[in-house]
């Protein structure tokens, strides 16, 4: 390619072209390649051209220094080692074979759900590793002290004899104690089992580690979710809604010619077919949206508002039911129905999340929305219902346990309901533990008691009813919301149940195989296809909302709520965060204390706010500039495609039609060079596509046209 440039830049016989322009462009390109630091292996040239470029950078007779040779060898070895490590990681990665099989058979949209499960498993394992290394192992090494005497609550005016019953289980069934979490009250699973000596008697602060480890875990999860969220941004956000990728590119470049086995070839065929289905479905929806009139859009907007108001009322009623169920369960803990009341809030939450989407779909289908809009509207309200139910559950627990918005004698004295909850952190941890257990048991029950019998009945019997029933449809959004709910509960319990990520890791690991079994054996793929980038962006967005929902209550508890007086690490502190200023006063020198005091003062906040405003302004300006550049590149891409059609038009018009006596053998370069050239060889032309009659050109236009032809030959 590069060697042909000098030949193409020469003047052809009978065609006076400016030779000096070609030589000038040739020299400029050679200088650019010679001075460029870009590796030769990534240049878009053939191997012969790459050897030629390497000779340009290292001419004969000029020897590089030993330092440069050693550095080059190290870079090459490091690059090869990194590539080998990546190949090894991909080969030994968790569930790689299963993910490849699922992606080939059902498309990248469903595959992204199982990839999402693997990502959540890694997040939970990292969280568990951080908590264990910072809190559990140092606490075991330091030998925590024995628990002190229980706090005397005789001064409190508690109704009845509640304090003698608090913490004493009525049912001594060990299985039931495991399901409710009471069997682990004295283990490191819950907050109450963590104890430490005063801060002045130990070099390592377990209290500070226990306080900062949940915050560090949430920050780590936030960074991981945000990174995957940005990585999974849909291509439409950059290319715009009007850009459509050509199907011809997928037709001619999708097949992998390295495939040898029949199974791999079958999976690849299914994968290409699913990609075509996604492209065609998106194109159909795009055309339907563009064909709507203004009257249709206005009517659609009115019906959209009406349906959303009705669904909003249903969501308000659902979260009210969750609030009263949680309140009733906590206020009647000592009743005879205590066995059923323990799982009343999780049961109501599961019932609401099951009936809510059905009612949403019914209301949306009454308005005859397009399938795409129907799915999106239902999905948005399902996300709102899931997160709102968890938020209301958290608020109702806070009102019952911490007396948020309530006036009681025990709350005024101790800052929480000390009559019913001597160790309120353990009580909140038990509720979150039961919610996590219930979600997993519900997944097991649906898999083996609903999906499996339904598939067996459909295969065993025939008829209209069984044909209508069919197998269960594997809905990716519903499964994603279920797993996000479990992960949000785990994040909410990091302070009360530090080892809850271990439990959730086991649940996610088992859920992967149950969902894989359901997908391959008991279900049929959804009729709606999802693109992997859109699915990944949606998953991470919902997960990020769940992370924010878990962070707000935790921040409020850590900074403002008094800890229990007779259990845990913060018994002598008005709030867990008070350990931070105490350690600052004990461990830091006066200059360090003054620096931290200045960093937390208003005198530092004003310059920091100004600096952040400047950084934000620069980022916004850079983002706008990038958006303009992307729009320009997109227009240029469409422009070039149109000009290629112009080129085909010109060639078909200028080339003579082959006669009956013309030979079909290859032409010589001289005859090819003597053929009339196109008016616009690969460069922008005036006018619209289609046949155009030639017109006489001015001398300036002829000169400009000759330069365009020369640039086309060079490129």
């Amino acid at each position: 390619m590069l060697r042909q440039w000098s030949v193409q830049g020469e003047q052809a016989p009978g065609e006076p072209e400016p030779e000096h322009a070609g030589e000038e462009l040739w020299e400029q390109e050679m200088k650019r390649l010679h001075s460029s630091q870009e590796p030769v292996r990534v240049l878009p040239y053939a191997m012969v051209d790459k050897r030629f470029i390497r000779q340009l950078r290292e001419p004969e007779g000029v020897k590089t220094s030993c330092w440069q040779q050693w550095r080059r060898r190290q870079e090459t070895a490091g690059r090869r080692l990194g590539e080998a490590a990546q190949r090894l990681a991909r080969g030994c990665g968790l569930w790689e074979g299963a993910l490849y099989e699922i992606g080939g058979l059902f498309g990248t949209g469903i595959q992204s759900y199982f990839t999402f499960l693997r990502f959540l498993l890694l997040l939970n394992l990292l969280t568990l590793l951080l908590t264990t290394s910072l809190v559990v192992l140092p606490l075991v090494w330091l030998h925590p002290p024995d628990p002190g005497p229980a706090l005397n609550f005789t001064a409190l005016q508690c109704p009845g004899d509640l304090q003698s019953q608090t913490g004493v289980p009525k049912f001594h069934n060990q299985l039931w104690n495991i399901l409710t979490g009471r069997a682990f009250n004295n283990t490191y699973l819950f907050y109450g089992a963590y104890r430490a000596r005063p801060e002045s008697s130990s070099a390592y602060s377990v209290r500070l580690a226990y306080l900062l480890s949940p915050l560090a875990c949430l920050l780590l999860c936030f960074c991981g979710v945000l990174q995957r969220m940005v990585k999974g941004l849909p291509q439409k956000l950059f290319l715009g809604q009007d850009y459509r990728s050509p199907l011809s590119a997928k037709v001619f470049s999708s097949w992998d010619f390295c495939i040898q086995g029949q199974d791999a070839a079958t999976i690849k065929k299914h994968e290409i077919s699913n990609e075509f289905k996604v492209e065609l479905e998106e194109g159909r929806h795009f055309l339907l949206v563009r064909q709507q009139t203004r009257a249709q859009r206005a009517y659609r907007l009115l019906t959209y508002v009406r349906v959303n108001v009705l669904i909003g009322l249903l969501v308000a009623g659902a979260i009210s039911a969750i609030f009263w169920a949680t309140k009733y369960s906590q206020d009647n803990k000592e009743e005879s129905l205590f066995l059923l009341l323990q799982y009343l809030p999780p049961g109501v939450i599961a019932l609401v999340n099951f009936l809510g989407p059905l009612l949403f779909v019914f209301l949306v289908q009454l308005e005859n929305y397009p399938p795409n809009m129907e799915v999106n509207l239902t999905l948005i309200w399902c996300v709102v219902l899931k997160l709102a139910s968890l938020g209301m559950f958290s608020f109702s627990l806070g009102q019952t346990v911490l007396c948020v918005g309530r006036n009681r004698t025990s709350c005024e004295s101790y800052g929480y309901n000390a009559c019913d909850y001597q160790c309120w952190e353990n009580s909140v941890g038990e509720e979150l533990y039961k919610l996590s257990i219930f979600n997993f048991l519900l997944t097991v029950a649906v898999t083996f008691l609903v999906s499996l019998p339904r598939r067996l009945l459909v295969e065993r019997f025939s008829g209209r009813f069984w044909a209508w029933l069919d197998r269960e449809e594997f809905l990716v959004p519903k499964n994603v919301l279920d797993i996000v709910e479990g992960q949000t509960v785990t994040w909410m319990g990091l302070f009360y149940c530090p080892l809850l990520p271990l439990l959730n890791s086991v649940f996610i690991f088992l859920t992967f195989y149950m969902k894989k079994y359901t997908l391959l054996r008991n279900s049929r793929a959804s009729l709606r296809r999802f693109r992997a980038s859109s699915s990944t962006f949606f998953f991470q967005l919902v997960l990020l909302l769940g992370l924010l929902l878990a962070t707000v209550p935790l921040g409020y508890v850590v900074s403002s709520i008094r800890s229990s007086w007779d259990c845990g690490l913060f018994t002598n502190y008005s709030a867990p965060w008070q350990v931070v200023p105490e350690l600052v006063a004990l461990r830091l020198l006066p200059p360090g204390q003054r620096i931290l005091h200045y960093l937390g003062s208003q005198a530092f906040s004003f310059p920091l706010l100004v600096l952040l405003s400047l950084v934000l302004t620069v980022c916004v300006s850079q983002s706008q500039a990038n958006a303009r550049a992307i729009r320009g590149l997109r227009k240029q891409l469409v422009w070039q495609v149109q000009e290629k059609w112009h080129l085909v038009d010109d060639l078909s018009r200028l080339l003579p039609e082959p006669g009956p006596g013309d030979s079909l053998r290859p032409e010589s370069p001289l005859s090819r060079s003597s053929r009339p050239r196109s008016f616009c060889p690969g460069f922008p032309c005036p006018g619209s596509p289609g046949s155009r009659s030639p017109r006489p050109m001015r001398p300036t236009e002829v000169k400009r046209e000759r330069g365009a032809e020369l640039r086309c030959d060079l490129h």
Side-chain angles (χ1 to χ4, degrees):
M1 182 187 299
L2 290 175
R3 296 178 184 275
Q4 294 174 357
W5 282 12
S6 58
V7 178
Q8 292 177 355
E10 294 177 357
Q11 180 177 351
E15 190 174 4
E17 294 185 354
E19 184 177 354
H20 62 279
E23 294 179 354
E24 183 179 354
L25 291 175
W26 167 262
E27 292 177 357
Q28 291 178 1
E29 183 66 17
M30 291 301 100
K31 289 180 180 179
R32 187 188 69 82
L33 292 175
H34 179 70
S35 60
S36 175
Q37 299 297 329
E38 191 175 6
V40 178
R41 63 190 301 269
V42 301
L43 294 176
Y45 297 122
M47 291 301 298
V48 178
D49 298 331
K50 291 181 179 181
R51 295 191 187 99
F52 181 66
I53 295 173
R54 187 175 289 109
Q55 291 177 3
L56 286 177
R57 295 182 179 180
E58 299 179 4
E60 296 182 0
V62 179
K63 294 184 178 180
T64 57
S65 62
C66 297
W67 166 254
Q68 292 178 348
Q69 294 178 0
W70 179 83
R71 183 179 178 182
R72 186 178 304 162
R73 286 195 298 268
Q74 294 299 320
E75 291 178 354
T76 304
R79 184 178 64 252
R80 292 177 179 175
L81 183 61
E83 293 175 353
Q86 291 179 0
R87 289 194 299 268
L88 182 62
R90 286 194 297 267
C92 301
L94 184 62
W95 301 325
E96 284 292 337
L99 291 175
Y100 177 75
E101 180 184 4
I102 293 172
L105 295 177
F106 300 98
T108 56
I110 294 181
Q111 181 192 25
S112 61
Y113 164 71
F114 291 91
T115 308
F116 181 66
L117 284 177
R118 182 176 64 176
F119 171 69
L120 289 183
L121 179 60
L122 294 179
L123 277 187
N124 282 276
L125 292 178
L126 288 177
T127 303
L128 178 65
L129 178 63
L130 190 63
T131 303
T132 304
S133 58
L134 293 181
V135 180
V136 178
L137 293 180
L139 195 62
V140 173
W141 177 263
L142 294 175
H143 302 289
D146 297 330
L151 190 64
N152 187 10
F153 289 91
T154 55
L156 294 178
Q157 299 177 0
C158 298
D161 192 20
L162 293 181
Q163 50 186 344
S164 62
Q165 298 176 3
T166 302
V168 181
K170 286 189 173 182
F171 297 91
H172 300 281
N173 189 344
Q174 190 64 24
L175 177 61
W176 180 249
N177 290 335
I178 292 176
L179 292 178
T180 58
R182 294 201 171 192
F184 308 106
N185 268 338
N186 296 323
T187 64
Y188 285 142
L189 180 62
F190 292 105
Y191 165 85
Y194 292 84
R195 303 177 184 87
R197 294 181 174 85
E199 295 298 328
S200 58
S201 62
S202 177
Y204 183 82
S205 176
V206 178
R207 291 183 178 86
L208 183 63
Y210 189 93
L211 177 64
L212 296 183
S213 60
L215 303 179
C217 293
L218 292 177
L219 181 61
L220 176 65
C221 294
F222 175 78
C223 294
V225 171
L226 192 63
Q227 190 267 342
R228 284 179 61 90
M229 185 177 178
V230 174
K231 184 179 179 181
L233 281 175
Q235 191 180 17
K236 291 182 180 179
L237 295 179
F238 299 102
L239 297 179
Q241 297 291 336
D242 297 334
Y243 177 78
R244 308 298 304 170
S245 58
L247 289 176
S248 59
K250 294 184 178 295
V251 171
F252 293 106
S253 62
S254 294
W255 186 254
D256 185 4
F257 290 94
C258 296
I259 294 178
Q260 297 180 359
Q262 183 63 33
D263 295 338
T266 303
I267 292 176
K268 189 63 178 179
K269 291 178 183 177
H270 284 288
E271 181 180 351
I272 297 173
S273 174
N274 291 327
E275 289 181 1
F276 285 149
K277 291 177 182 178
V278 171
E279 290 287 348
L280 295 175
E281 184 176 353
E282 290 183 353
R284 176 178 172 274
H285 173 67
F286 180 73
L287 291 177
L288 290 176
V289 171
R290 294 191 62 177
Q291 291 173 358
Q292 289 183 352
T293 62
R294 290 186 177 180
Q296 291 175 344
R297 293 177 183 175
Y299 175 75
R300 189 69 66 190
L301 179 61
L302 292 177
T303 58
Y304 184 80
V305 172
R306 181 177 60 189
V307 169
N308 279 275
V309 170
L310 293 177
I311 295 178
L313 294 177
L314 289 177
V315 171
I319 61 178
S320 300
I322 294 172
F323 171 78
W324 290 110
T326 307
K327 185 176 182 300
Y328 183 79
S329 173
Q330 296 297 319
D331 292 343
N332 298 275
K333 292 175 61 175
E334 305 302 329
E335 298 293 335
S336 58
L337 294 177
F338 175 65
L339 178 63
L340 299 178
L341 293 178
Q342 283 286 312
Y343 275 90
L344 180 62
V348 173
I349 292 176
L351 183 63
V352 163
N353 290 323
F354 174 74
L355 295 179
L358 297 180
L359 295 176
F360 297 164
V361 171
F362 175 74
L363 291 175
V364 172
Q365 287 180 348
L366 289 178
E367 302 296 338
N368 294 324
Y369 284 118
N372 196 302
M373 187 176 180
E374 177 183 329
V375 172
N376 292 337
L377 183 60
T378 306
L379 184 57
I380 290 173
W381 278 109
C382 289
V383 172
V384 172
L385 181 61
K386 281 280 186 181
L387 299 180
S389 61
L390 290 179
M392 182 53 65
F393 174 73
S394 178
F395 175 76
S396 58
L397 274 182
Q399 190 179 45
T400 305
V401 178
L402 304 177
C403 303
V404 178
R406 302 174 65 181
N407 294 322
R408 300 185 64 171
T409 305
S410 60
C411 296
E412 295 176 357
S413 303
Y414 294 97
Y416 62 95
N417 190 359
C419 288
D420 298 331
Y421 307 96
Q422 295 184 11
C423 187
W424 67 266
E425 290 90 352
N426 274 17
S427 300
V428 174
E430 287 178 7
E431 295 298 328
L432 297 175
Y433 171 86
K434 287 184 291 186
L435 188 57
S436 181
I437 290 286
F438 186 84
N439 289 336
F440 176 71
L441 293 179
L442 187 63
T443 302
V444 175
V446 169
T447 301
F448 296 104
L449 300 181
V450 177
S451 300
L452 180 59
R454 179 177 176 178
R455 190 257 298 179
L456 295 177
L457 290 175
V458 168
E459 292 179 351
R460 178 67 177 81
F461 300 101
S462 61
R464 291 184 178 180
F465 174 76
W466 301 108
W468 170 81
L469 183 62
D470 203 0
R471 295 186 178 187
E472 179 187 3
E473 186 177 3
F474 192 87
L475 299 175
V476 174
K478 175 184 177 300
N479 289 282
V480 169
L481 292 180
D482 292 339
I483 198 67
V484 167
E485 180 185 9
Q487 185 61 44
T488 304
V489 172
T490 301
W491 283 332
M492 293 172 65
L494 283 178
F495 185 78
Y496 317 103
C497 303
L499 298 184
L500 193 58
L502 173 62
L503 197 65
N504 196 38
S505 300
V506 176
F507 291 164
I508 292 176
F509 185 82
L510 297 177
T511 300
F512 181 91
Y513 289 100
M514 286 189 295
K515 292 299 180 181
K516 179 187 174 183
Y517 173 78
T518 301
L519 176 64
L520 297 178
R521 299 293 182 88
N522 302 334
S523 300
R524 55 186 173 89
S526 175
L527 298 177
R528 171 173 166 78
R529 300 286 176 175
F530 292 91
R531 189 179 295 275
S533 58
S534 303
S535 303
T536 304
F537 179 78
F538 166 72
F539 299 165
Q540 305 304 324
L541 178 60
V542 177
L543 190 62
L544 185 62
L545 294 177
L547 179 62
L548 296 179
L549 179 64
T551 305
V552 173
L554 179 60
Y556 174 71
V557 167
V558 167
S559 61
S560 305
I561 300 300
R562 183 183 294 274
S563 302
S564 298
W565 287 85
D566 64 338
C567 70
L569 294 169
F570 307 99
T571 54
N572 298 323
Y573 296 91
S574 59
W577 187 256
Q578 294 299 320
V579 71
V580 176
E582 179 185 354
L583 285 175
V584 169
L586 287 176
R587 305 291 174 87
L588 288 183
L589 298 176
Q593 297 180 20
R594 287 194 293 269
I595 292 175
L596 290 180
H597 179 72
Y598 173 73
L599 293 178
S601 63
Q602 296 180 357
F604 177 75
S605 61
F606 180 74
L608 180 63
L609 182 62
V610 173
L611 180 61
L612 291 178
S613 301
L614 293 176
V615 172
L616 182 61
T617 303
V618 172
C619 292
V620 170
S621 302
Q622 185 65 34
S623 176
Q624 293 176 353
N626 293 338
R628 289 193 297 269
I630 289 173
R631 287 195 297 268
L633 292 174
R634 184 174 67 248
K635 292 179 181 179
Q636 183 180 358
L637 181 62
V638 177
W639 196 15
Q640 289 180 356
V641 172
Q642 293 176 354
E643 291 309 318
K644 288 181 180 179
W645 286 107
H646 289 319
L647 180 60
V648 173
D649 262 351
D650 293 335
L651 286 176
S652 62
R653 180 169 49 84
L654 294 177
L655 291 179
E657 293 293 335
D662 291 344
S663 157
L664 296 179
R665 58 185 175 84
E667 298 177 298
S668 63
L670 292 178
S671 62
R672 188 184 300 114
S673 62
S674 62
R675 178 181 298 165
R677 291 179 176 268
S678 166
F679 288 104
C680 302
F683 284 86
C685 297
S688 59
S691 60
R692 298 184 300 275
S693 59
R695 63 176 179 84
M697 294 190 296
R698 300 174 183 176
T700 56
E701 294 179 350
V702 173
K703 184 176 181 181
R704 189 183 305 116
E705 187 62 37
R706 296 300 185 183
E709 293 175 0
L710 177 62
R711 288 193 298 271
C712 178
D713 288 337
L714 290 176
H715 289 283

